[in-house]
Amino acid sequence: MSAPQRLEVAGVLFDMDGTLVDSNAPVDVIWNEFSDAHGLDSTEVRAYAHGRPSRATVATYLRDDQQIAHWIDRIHHLEATMFDVVTEIPGAGALVRSLPEDRWAVVTSAIREPARERIGAVGIRVPAVLIGADDVTHGKPDPEGYRAGAAALGLDPADCVVFEDTDAGAKAGLAAGCRVVVVGQGRSETLDALPRVADLTHVTADATAAGRIGLTLS
């Protein structure tokens, strides 16, 4: 960003993978294995899967119900066990520690319990509100998850900001009525039109006189 930008909101909603947690290594392992097993282009599959629930990706490429169920179980197992290769996105832990506990949540395309463990594994405080893929009927880019996250905090989505790294996630946040800030270098027509920070070391939070959350993006 060329100049610092100031936002004032009631709540903050974070995506997890690529936003709070750098999980590129296990994600690549998962979708490379899936692609190799089915003769698919792994680059294409990884690009499609980015930001979407795994069940949606599997169902896009497979038609047999038994195979779909097998691969969803396999992917969930990998998501639940590959914690040794995930790291914190720079600044993530410090930022969430500076936020009131009842004003922030995570909305992720990962399954809820593995997501909680993944966040804890990198030393980030697990939020009271975490909406996982198994908590919604429709995953990103549908807005259901972000609407549910705001509702669980007792807030209007229009008074929340979403931090996202993917096109699907950004579209979900916008469709929910939230403001959206992009984290990282992802590119798309939607992402390129939004405020962006390289990582969360470029975001600081403070309390405003009106009891809201002030966020400075640099």
Side-chain angles (χ1 to χ4, degrees):
M1 299 179 62
S2 57
Q5 181 172 341
R6 178 78 172 174
L7 301 176
E8 291 192 4
V9 296
V12 184
L13 305 174
F14 293 97
D15 171 51
M16 181 182 69
D17 292 318
T19 302
L20 293 177
V21 176
D22 183 348
S23 56
N24 284 336
V27 167
D28 285 351
V29 168
I30 287 168
W31 293 114
N32 286 345
E33 179 179 324
F34 174 80
S35 300
D36 290 345
H38 298 97
L40 300 170
D41 183 331
S42 60
T43 301
E44 175 193 318
V45 173
R46 290 197 307 271
Y48 183 85
H50 201 37
R52 288 183 169 87
S54 55
R55 66 189 180 202
T57 302
V58 170
T60 296
Y61 290 98
L62 301 182
R63 294 292 176 265
D64 182 83
D65 289 343
Q66 287 187 330
Q67 279 293 302
I68 290 172
H70 165 77
W71 278 97
I72 289 174
D73 287 345
R74 172 64 176 160
I75 289 166
H76 289 172
H77 169 73
L78 293 172
E79 289 179 339
T81 56
M82 296 180 67
F83 298 127
D84 57 333
V85 289
V86 297
T87 57
E88 173 194 347
I89 293 292
L95 177 58
V96 300
R97 285 193 296 272
S98 70
L99 297 173
E101 291 188 18
D102 60 349
R103 299 284 199 89
W104 73 280
V106 168
V107 178
T108 176
S109 293
I111 297 298
R112 181 179 60 255
E113 288 308 314
R116 290 175 59 85
E117 293 182 35
R118 190 178 299 179
I119 290 170
V122 299
I124 296 175
R125 182 181 69 198
V126 179
V129 175
L130 189 152
I131 307 297
D134 45 337
D135 295 312
V136 298
T137 302
H138 304 290
K140 302 172 186 178
D142 191 275
E144 181 183 352
Y146 280 118
R147 287 175 178 163
L153 294 176
L155 301 174
D156 183 341
D159 210 11
C160 295
V161 62
V162 164
F163 285 89
E164 265 285 358
D165 71 312
T166 70
D167 181 80
K171 287 176 177 174
L174 292 171
C178 305
R179 283 176 276 185
V180 177
V181 175
V182 179
V183 180
Q185 304 304 317
R187 305 308 295 263
S188 74
E189 183 177 352
T190 298
L191 297 177
D192 290 349
L194 295 169
R196 180 188 299 266
V197 292
D199 58 43
L200 296 179
T201 64
H202 295 273
V203 183
T204 57
D206 58 77
T208 73
R212 293 164 62 77
I213 298 169
L215 296 169
T216 302
L217 316 178
S218 62

